[in-house]
Amino acid sequence: MSQMFKALSVPNYRLWVSGALVSNIGTWMQRVAQDWLVLTVLTHNSGTATGITTGLQFLPILFLGPYAGLVADRYNKRKLLLVTQTIMGLCALVLGLLVLTDTAELWHVYTLAFVLGLASAFDAPARQAFVSEVVGPDDVPNAVALNSASFNLARLAGPGVAGLVIAWLGTAPAFLINAASFAAVLVSIWKMKPELLYTPKPAVRAKHQIREGMHYIKGRPDLVMILVLTALIGTFGLNFQITNAMMATQAYGVGPGEYGLLGSVMAVGTLGGALLAARRGRFRLRYLIGGAILFGVFSVGASVMPTFWLYALALVPVGLASLTFLNSCNTSIQLSVEPRFRGRVLAIYMMVIQGGTPIGAPLVGWLGTEFGARWSIAAGGIIALAAGLWALQFVRRGHLNQPVFATGEGQPSIVVVDEEDPGPSVDTEAGEGRPTPTRRGE
């Protein structure tokens, strides 16, 4: 099998990625339907209400992120995912039935978005860390990239299908389809062979384990830089489900079909970024920082596009740059963090990239309502550009010139500084410096 699809040779990973693809299509359909429901049915084009809905969905991770990561480190991730995915599916089912019976009110959407956020807060770190248990350490970079490709294939199909479903049948079927799609990921997790998983020893219950995880991050300047970047870009830049809705309705005066199309067009760029990442066998910091800078530049460019179709075209490089940045962050953490800390570090990563949404989404919605949709995109792009340039200076000033050692269980995992690249790179080839997780039963 080619390098681009190497991780698919693992049977458990084939199950995982196929179930996730179906579920992600449903999730994207719900995202589009939820925003359209709030924006055009339950309010009169209120960007603020749409932002509050999105914010409530991500609010729990802001407060529960570190604890959720500790839960992921302590307990069996496969069983934990079965619980969280079931709860998320039930949230979609309830909302779909409320809309179908014409009894949905704004507070219903707010409440279900918050409950969905609670389940997502525990699901996210477990799901991210579980990838490293499904495949061997040498396949982690490829598996992370293929996860992104699967997610963006769903992003390519989901919004477009949602737009058509909403235009023909309304929003209720989109929610009900998403509820049904969770069956695919639940079946795929259930059918996995536990004896083939690379399961590390769970973290032993002890005092101050969250503080221990924070101390570990504090001692890693590369992780600190990644978290600062993701906090700024996630809070102010990655709000396209809101900004695209506002651009569609305010700037261009188009309907739900065109709005759904914007998400699909943007997914062309993110899918391209994921496939390019799958071809790479080595992580370099230049992709991470370059992705942040280019995301800012392309976002500002998209904000000034005079027509709908030029705006849609401009979203392709925006998507490619954002995926390059996010995939580089995820791969760096997956490969360089000790297994016993992985859940906690990934939880903090997810917390800063999504937990800022309760602050950023209402602000972005308010900005678009008060000053125009274009400013809601441009402001996020300017902040992303400034953050990327700061990270570039952070590296050039020598903060990462020394190798960073992340001592794993038994052997060290080393993030090395490459002389050809002004920053750390993680060697993804088999050999020295790699912890070798033992499969359960060996």
Side-chain angles (χ1 to χ4, degrees):
M1 188 170 292
S2 67
Q3 174 65 32
M4 183 178 291
F5 302 104
K6 184 182 177 185
L8 291 178
S9 63
V10 180
N12 277 346
Y13 185 74
R14 289 199 299 270
L15 284 170
W16 170 258
V17 78
S18 59
L21 176 61
V22 175
S23 182
N24 283 332
I25 291 175
T27 297
W28 276 107
M29 291 182 67
Q30 168 146 341
R31 288 186 179 185
V32 172
Q34 179 176 277
D35 288 344
W36 198 257
L37 175 69
V38 172
L39 194 64
T40 66
V41 178
L42 300 181
T43 69
H44 297 289
N45 293 314
S46 173
T48 302
T50 308
I52 290 173
T53 304
T54 304
L56 286 170
Q57 189 168 320
F58 293 100
L59 183 64
I61 200 170
L62 183 63
F63 296 101
L64 297 176
Y67 179 72
L70 180 58
V71 170
D73 283 336
R74 280 181 179 174
Y75 297 101
N76 184 287
K77 298 178 185 62
R78 177 169 169 265
K79 295 179 180 179
L80 182 60
L81 288 172
L82 288 171
V83 174
T84 57
Q85 293 286 314
T86 298
I87 295 173
M88 294 162 72
L90 289 174
C91 287
L93 178 62
V94 171
L95 183 55
L97 292 175
L98 286 171
V99 177
L100 187 64
T101 56
D102 200 27
T103 56
E105 297 181 15
L106 188 58
W107 73 269
H108 291 145
V109 181
Y110 285 168
T111 301
L112 288 169
F114 183 73
V115 175
L116 180 64
L118 287 173
S120 298
F122 288 91
D123 181 85
R127 178 166 35 85
Q128 294 289 330
F130 189 57
V131 175
S132 299
E133 299 183 12
V134 176
V135 300
D138 294 332
D139 291 330
V140 167
N142 185 249
V144 170
L146 290 180
N147 271 2
S148 296
S150 170
F151 180 79
N152 286 289
L153 275 173
R155 188 177 187 176
L156 187 62
V161 173
L164 294 175
V165 169
I166 294 169
W168 293 343
L169 303 172
T171 56
F175 297 124
L176 296 176
I177 291 172
N178 181 42
S181 74
F182 277 93
V185 70
L186 289 171
V187 170
S188 69
I189 295 172
W190 185 263
K191 291 180 65 176
M192 285 184 182
K193 296 181 179 179
E195 67 273 11
L196 296 181
L197 295 175
Y198 293 76
T199 306
K201 294 179 180 180
V204 179
R205 184 183 295 271
K207 294 182 179 180
H208 309 305
Q209 286 181 296
I210 293 178
R211 186 186 303 173
E212 182 186 22
M214 298 298 292
H215 182 73
Y216 175 81
I217 292 173
K218 185 178 178 181
R220 293 278 305 275
D222 58 324
L223 294 180
V224 173
M225 185 194 72
I226 289 173
L227 294 176
V228 171
L229 279 176
T230 52
L232 292 172
I233 294 176
T235 299
F236 301 105
L238 299 177
N239 292 291
F240 282 93
Q241 64 185 101
I242 299 172
T243 55
N244 280 347
M246 299 183 72
M247 288 291 285
T249 56
Q250 295 181 18
Y252 303 115
V254 296
E258 290 84 355
Y259 166 51
L261 180 64
L262 290 178
S264 296
V265 170
M266 188 171 180
V268 172
T270 52
L271 177 60
L275 294 176
L276 287 174
R279 291 174 59 90
R280 295 193 293 264
R282 188 177 179 87
F283 163 78
R284 291 185 185 278
L285 193 61
R286 67 179 65 167
Y287 299 124
L288 194 154
I289 296 177
I293 292 173
L294 290 177
F295 173 76
V297 172
F298 292 141
S299 294
V300 173
S303 71
V304 299
M305 290 295 136
T307 68
F308 172 81
W309 292 108
L310 284 176
Y311 174 73
L313 185 63
L315 290 180
V316 175
V318 170
L320 192 151
S322 66
L323 194 283
T324 299
F325 167 72
L326 293 173
N327 190 81
S328 297
C329 292
N330 196 319
T331 302
S332 175
I333 292 172
Q334 293 273 10
L335 289 174
S336 68
V337 172
E338 295 181 45
R340 66 190 182 95
F341 285 112
R342 191 175 290 134
R344 277 165 283 181
V345 175
L346 282 168
I348 298 298
Y349 166 69
M350 299 301 295
M351 183 184 74
V352 298
I353 201 169
Q354 295 182 355
T357 303
I359 300 171
L363 283 176
V364 167
W366 173 83
L367 190 65
T369 300
E370 295 296 322
F371 300 99
R374 297 182 185 278
W375 274 107
S376 64
I377 299 176
I382 292 169
I383 291 172
L385 177 60
L389 292 175
W390 165 81
L392 185 62
Q393 289 299 112
F394 185 83
V395 173
R396 286 181 172 176
R397 289 174 181 172
H399 294 288
L400 301 182
N401 282 345
Q402 298 299 321
V404 178
F405 294 89
T407 306
E409 296 179 356
Q411 296 183 24
S413 173
I414 304 175
V415 181
V416 299
V417 175
D418 190 342
E419 293 180 357
E420 298 179 358
D421 187 14
S425 62
V426 180
D427 189 355
T428 63
E429 299 178 358
E432 297 179 359
R434 302 301 311 280
T436 306
T438 302
R439 297 188 184 186
R440 188 182 300 174
E442 291 185 354

